[in-house]
Amino acid sequence: MCILVPAREICPACSGRGSVGPYQCWRCDGHGTLMDEYPVMVSYPAGLQQDYIVHLFLDRCGIGNFYLMVRFDLLSYMVKNAVSGIPLNQSVRSWVH
């Protein structure tokens, strides 16, 4: 499964200064940084259990000293789909694959 993690990066056009010569940077609008989203792969075991937690370090996204905690809440997902009229066994199969 892939999730997108939002992060700031230094603007490559102005090197984080916010301006190019006397002019405001066109790429970052003078902020010196850009917002971007980095794809992060989350792996999980077969037979996933309720409240399974994965800790992902974000250093490969340029974010040091932080990690992302992903919790799989299967029960809420199954109840939501059961209310929608989707059979529970079908909702688990389609979500986990």
Side-chain angles (χ1 to χ4, degrees), residues 13-74:
C14 68
S15 300
R17 290 186 304 272
S19 61
V20 179
Y23 304 103
Q24 179 177 316
C25 179
W26 60 274
R27 190 156 185 196
C28 66
D29 292 325
H31 298 287
T33 59
L34 300 170
M35 284 299 296
D36 202 359
E37 292 181 332
Y38 294 92
V40 175
M41 292 300 296
V42 179
S43 58
Y44 52 89
L48 190 64
Q49 298 295 314
Q50 174 68 16
D51 292 329
Y52 181 76
I53 296 175
V54 176
H55 291 94
L56 301 169
F57 290 96
L58 300 176
D59 53 349
R60 62 182 169 217
C61 300
I63 304 171
N65 299 325
F66 285 97
Y67 66 88
L68 178 67
M69 185 172 66
V70 179
R71 182 175 68 95
F72 292 88
D73 186 358
L74 297 176

Side-chain angles (χ1 to χ4, degrees), residues 74-93:
L74 297 176
L75 186 58
S76 294
Y77 183 80
M78 290 188 305
V79 168
K80 182 177 82 173
N81 283 331
V83 171
S84 302
I86 300 171
L88 290 180
N89 60 352
Q90 181 182 348
S91 67
V92 172
R93 270 197 310 265

